[in-house]
């Protein structure tokens, strides 16, 4: 009988606590809750055993045990949320990763301190007039620290070097100089990786293989080789340790971006976590050379469709020899653009024409194909022996959809026509903007921008990009990462083409390209194709219209026409109502507790703890403290929301 009674008490306490709190319990937490409830019932029963009506107080005993069990469940749900215990089995792995992450944190901290960035890690940056001088001093130190930190941080700095909307000009100028070189891996390690990926010794697959790499970076190194049929090829090999280093560094970056977005207004305004996630996804793609091979095939197809393959060549990929960590491509015999000016003069080539062809090729990738080379620096562009240009290394690419491509064309047309209203419309289609944006003010700012940089006789320069991004930032606009990649590619291409033609006007070339592309679309055959494409897209909608009209008519005829409106659909509205309800409940609760405290303090009866202090007074004083704390919290919340 006693066992049955105890079992019923355990089940009642556990089920009652779970139902009242609305918490789903696992077996372990249910057993713990039952044990706590039983312990509470035992202690309370022992305290009440000397009372005259002990049996009548059994309900009080059970209710008290239930309250204790509910308190235990609420506490464990806050401290150890549901699902926490499921990860206990993964603790050894998690601890090893945390230890590795801590070592990397320590290494990065030492690098930052060595380059004089320690005060900024502690949040001691200056403000006011001294800030500009401090930024000029800080920018070179930041660049050197990123170079020492490794490939992940170098590539992050290269991405940030084109985000004029995120960083001051001093940092933009310095981060654009970022480079990273690494010591090549020994040949034996390279040979083992080749054998593992190819399934055979490299000398069984290749007729010749140069052991000394042509170049080495933190992710990969490049070797020259010759196939059995005599074809010269380039073999790009991923370094064995690069994957783990990049993964660990990306984990640190994502955690840092998450903290920045949670704790700083700047991080929330720019979407720091979204930026970091986009960068991480891009860098993860660079670790899979099969994706790079697909990128190169896509770009080559779009270039061929636009007819630009006659001026710019891409290497052929040998897919049968390409794996996740090895990329085999055609050898292009040429000179890097860094040192091609003398060769251009020797071959009697027109540098203006070459620069225009290269720019046209990149714009074809952006505006027509949608997949484009995101890092066309001078080392990735070759002047070939036949007078054409070659484009290498498609590990970093950008992708934009059809809607963005159309909007970019409209933006270039608006720039060509010097039309601020059209430019404003195109810009708002590209970016995310706040609900309270003043479009008239933005349009006036764009008009001033056009007058400053696109007036007759003026040549737009890099300062134009700085002013544009600063204006975007001032109006609270947020540029999508894919559009930022377009600007980055164009800015990098401008620097590369200046090696051929000093002061090359990339903006004028882009405007001319947009006009030519727009004119091409006005040709009768192009208009017919566009019309057919639009009709095909509208056909499903047109087929559904009669059926929907019939449904509406039937509903009206039967008196069943209704409109479904979802209240509080916007998360901000739900947050406002939730905050209002919480503050109201907190206010009512604090007033009720305060009133009860006053009544208890003024009560003279009841048991006494000391000759001058009764139990009711003690409880009342404690409730006064709780009420005061709740009132102060409510006032603090109200005044903080008004700032």
């Amino acid at each position: 009988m006693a066992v049955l009674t105890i079992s019923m008490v355990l089940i009642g306490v556990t089920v009652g606590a779970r139902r009242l709190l609305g918490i789903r319990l696992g077996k372990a937490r249910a057993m713990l809750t039952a044990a706590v409830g039983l312990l509470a019932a035992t202690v309370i029963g022992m305290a009440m055993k000397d009372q005259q009506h002990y049996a009548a107080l059994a309900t009080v005993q059970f209710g008290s045990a239930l309250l204790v069990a509910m308190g235990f469940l609420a506490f464990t749900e806050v401290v150890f949320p549901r699902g926490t215990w499921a990860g206990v089995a993964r603790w050894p792995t998690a601890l090893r990763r945390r230890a590795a992450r801590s070592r990397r944190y320590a290494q990065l901290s030492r690098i930052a301190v060595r380059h004089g960035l320690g005060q900024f890690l502690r949040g001691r940056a200056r403000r006011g007039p001294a800030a500009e001088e401090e930024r000029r001093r800080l920018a070179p130190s930041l660049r050197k620290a990123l170079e020492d930190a490794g490939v992940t941080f170098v590539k992050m700095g290269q991405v940030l070097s084109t985000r004029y909307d995120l960083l001051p000009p001093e940092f933009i100028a310095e981060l654009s100089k970022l480079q990273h070189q690494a010591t090549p891996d020994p040949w034996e390690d390279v040979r083992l990786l080749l054998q593992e990926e190819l399934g055979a010794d490299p000398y069984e697959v290749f007729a010749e293989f140069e052991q000394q790499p042509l170049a080495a970076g933190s992710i990969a190194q490049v070797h020259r080789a010759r196939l059995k049929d005599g074809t010269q090829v380039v073999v790009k090999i991923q370094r064995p340790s690069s994957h783990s280093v990049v993964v660990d560094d990306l984990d640190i970056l994502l955690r840092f971006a998450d903290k920045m977005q949670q704790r700083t207004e700047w991080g929330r305004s720019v979407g720091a976590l979204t930026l970091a996630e986009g960068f991480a996804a891009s860098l993860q793609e660079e670790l899979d050379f099969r994706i790079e091979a697909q990128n190169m095939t896509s770009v080559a197809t779009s270039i061929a469709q636009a007819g630009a393959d006659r001026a710019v060549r891409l290497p052929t990929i040998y897919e049968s020899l390409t794996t996740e960590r090895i990329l085999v491509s055609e050898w292009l015999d040429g000179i890097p653009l860094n040192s091609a000016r003398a060769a251009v003069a020797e071959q009697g080539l027109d540098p203006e024409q070459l620069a225009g062809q290269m720019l046209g090729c990149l714009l074809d990738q952006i505006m027509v194909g949608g997949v484009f080379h995101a890092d066309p620096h001078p080392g990735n562009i070759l002047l070939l022996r036949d007078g054409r240009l070659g484009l290498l290394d498609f590990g970093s690419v950008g992708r934009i959809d059809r809607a963005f491509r159309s909007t970019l064309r409209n933006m270039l047309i608006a720039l060509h026509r010097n039309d601020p209203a059209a430019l404003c419309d195109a810009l708002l289609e590209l970016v995310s903007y706040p609900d309270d944006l003043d479009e008239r003010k933005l349009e006036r700012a764009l008009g001033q921008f056009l007058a400053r940089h696109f007036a007759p006789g003026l040549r737009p320069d890099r300062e134009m990009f700085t002013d544009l991004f600063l204006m975007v930032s001032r109006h609270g606009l947020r540029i999508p990462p894919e559009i930022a990649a377009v600007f980055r590619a164009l800015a990098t291409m401008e620097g590369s083409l200046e090696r051929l033609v000093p002061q090359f006007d990339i903006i004028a070339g882009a405007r001319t390209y947009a006009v030519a592309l727009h004119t091409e679309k006005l040709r009768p055959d192009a208009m017919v194709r566009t019309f057919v494409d639009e009709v095909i897209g509208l056909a499903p909608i047109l087929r559904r219209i009669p059926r929907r009209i019939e449904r509406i008519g039937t509903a009206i005829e039967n008196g069943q026409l209704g409109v479904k409106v979802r209240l509080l659909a916007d998360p901000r509205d739900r947050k406002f109502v939730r905050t209002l309800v919480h503050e109201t409940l907190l206010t009512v609760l604090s007033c009720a507790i305060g009133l009860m405290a006053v009544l208890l303090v003024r009560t003279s009866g009841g048991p006494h703890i000391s000759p001058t202090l009764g139990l009711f007074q003690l409880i009342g004083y404690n409730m006064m403290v709780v009420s005061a704390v709740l009132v102060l919290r409510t006032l603090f919340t109200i005044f903080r929301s008004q700032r």
Side-chain angles (χ1 to χ4, degrees), residues 165 269-271 274 404 426-435 437 442 472-473 475-483:
D165 56 326
S269 64
V270 303
T274 302
F404 273 161
L427 182 62
L428 292 180
E429 290 183 22
L430 284 178
V431 302
S432 302
Y433 53 88
D435 293 336
L437 174 67
L442 175 62
V472 164
S473 179
H475 286 83
L477 308 182
R478 186 180 298 177
I479 299 177
E482 53 266 39
I483 300 301

Side-chain angles (χ1 to χ4, degrees), residues 110-120 137-138 141-142 145:
R110 288 194 297 270
I111 292 173
V113 172
R114 185 167 67 246
H115 290 284
L117 305 178
Q119 59 177 320
F120 300 96
R137 181 179 58 82
L138 172 65
S141 299
L142 178 62

